[in-house]
Amino acid sequence: TTTAMAPSTSPMSTMLFSVKKDKMRVQFPAPSTGASGFSMIMLIDGSKKKGYWLTPSTKTYYEMPLGVTPSTPPPTTPKVTPVKTGKTDKVAGYSCDEWQTLDPVSHFKSVSCITTGLTFFGLGGSPFKDLTGGMDAFGSDGGFPLRSETFDASGSLMTRLEATRIEKKSEPAS
């Protein structure tokens, strides 16, 4: 599955997600400084539990382990639990259910429209769930966030990502 997602703030840019079984590629746009192509590429290999950050301009990469539990426990923070709002929408031709979270510390609110039938690492039934602790709050079959908005404590929109096109096609192993 290949998905293009574009932030809604100016200037608009496109990130490209490609998923094949337990592998994922995310291409991040070049900064608006006149550069073309992608500035960063993230590769996830679920079977090897490794991630790679590639920087094409410098021909460098950084390898990172995934799914590794740190030796020191994370600081205790209140749990943020997604709540299904009951609203539905259609984004990029797919129906989705709206979910909302509110961080009790920062008071940032996140509203996401999640579709089932597409998987995304870190959410429920995805082949990548073991790498992120099996976050299954969005249901047993996981899902894909077609739209995600984050608001600050005053209610001002901070970020907005929205899928603009989804293509189901065979991805080459490369």
Side-chain angles (χ1 to χ4, degrees), residues 5-26:
M5 293 189 83
S8 68
T9 57
S10 275
M12 184 149 54
S13 58
T14 300
M15 294 185 303
L16 185 65
F17 290 77
S18 299
V19 180
K20 184 173 185 172
K21 296 183 182 178
D22 63 351
K23 293 179 176 43
M24 182 173 66
R25 176 185 178 110
V26 182

Side-chain angles (χ1 to χ4, degrees), residues 4 13 43 54 68 71 76 80 92 100 103-105 115 128 145 157 171:
S13 58
L43 303 175
L54 308 161
V68 177
S71 58
T76 305
V80 177
Q100 182 175 303
D103 185 307
V105 176
T115 188
F128 302 100
L157 180 66
E171 288 290 334

Side-chain angles (χ1 to χ4, degrees), residues 48-77:
K48 293 182 181 177
K49 295 189 178 190
K50 288 188 179 182
Y52 305 89
W53 281 101
L54 308 161
T55 308
S57 62
T58 59
K59 297 183 182 180
T60 59
Y61 75 96
Y62 170 73
E63 183 178 321
M64 60 191 161
L66 300 174
V68 177
T69 305
S71 58
T72 57
T76 305
T77 58

Side-chain angles (χ1 to χ4, degrees), residues 82-85 97-101 110-114 137-139:
V83 176
K84 198 172 190 177
T85 67
D97 296 310
E98 186 179 275
W99 291 79
Q100 182 175 303
T101 60
S110 176
V111 179
S112 298
C113 207
I114 309 288
F138 295 104

Side-chain angles (χ1 to χ4, degrees), residues 99 164 170 173:
W99 291 79
T164 56
S170 178

Side-chain angles (χ1 to χ4, degrees), residues 80-94:
V80 177
T81 304
V83 176
K84 198 172 190 177
T85 67
K87 295 179 184 177
T88 61
D89 202 353
K90 195 169 215 175
V91 178
Y94 286 80

Side-chain angles (χ1 to χ4, degrees), residues 115-144:
T115 188
T116 55
L118 298 175
T119 59
F120 186 64
F121 96 97
L123 301 179
S126 159
F128 302 100
K129 70 181 177 180
D130 292 337
L131 301 180
T132 59
M135 185 174 134
D136 60 0
F138 295 104
S140 62
D141 58 352
F144 189 90

